[in-house]
Amino acid sequence: MPGTVTMYSTTWCGYCRRLKSQMDREGITYNEINIEQDPDSAAFVEKANGGNQTVPTVLVVPSNDGPQVVMTNPSLAQVKQALGA
């Protein structure tokens, strides 16, 4: 898959676990950041979600020079689309 995916998550988030397993199955590599252990990442998630720490929040930077995309609780199809797949 082209581009990079960063998933902001928590250990207790079922939606995060589901999306991670789907991306693993599809061979999409990603960096996972636990917002409970990284205050700067928690601030990023809050800014992206109107002050809420909603996870999973996913940042996709496509390799085709397209704009980066921030999504809250995206589907696998949305992640793939943002990557240009």
Side-chain angles (χ1 to χ4, degrees):
M1 281 284 155
T4 61
V5 177
T6 303
M7 174 190 277
Y8 298 90
S9 66
T10 62
T11 56
W12 48 265
C13 172
Y15 297 111
C16 299
R17 284 192 298 274
R18 182 191 71 210
L19 184 58
K20 286 189 297 184
S21 70
Q22 291 172 338
M23 289 193 299
D24 288 343
R25 184 181 69 238
E26 293 290 320
I28 299 171
T29 57
Y30 56 91
N31 299 312
E32 182 178 9
I33 300 174
N34 185 332
I35 66 168
E36 293 178 316
Q37 298 173 352
D38 186 337
D40 291 337
S41 294
F44 171 80
V45 169
E46 286 177 6
K47 184 176 179 183
N49 293 292
N52 298 311
Q53 290 187 358
T54 307
V55 290
T57 295
V58 177
L59 170 65
V60 177
V61 180
S63 62
N64 64 0
D65 294 328
Q68 63 182 21
V69 179
V70 178
M71 300 174 283
T72 304
N73 195 17
S75 67
L76 177 62
Q78 289 171 309
V79 173
K80 290 170 86 173
Q81 181 180 20
L83 282 167

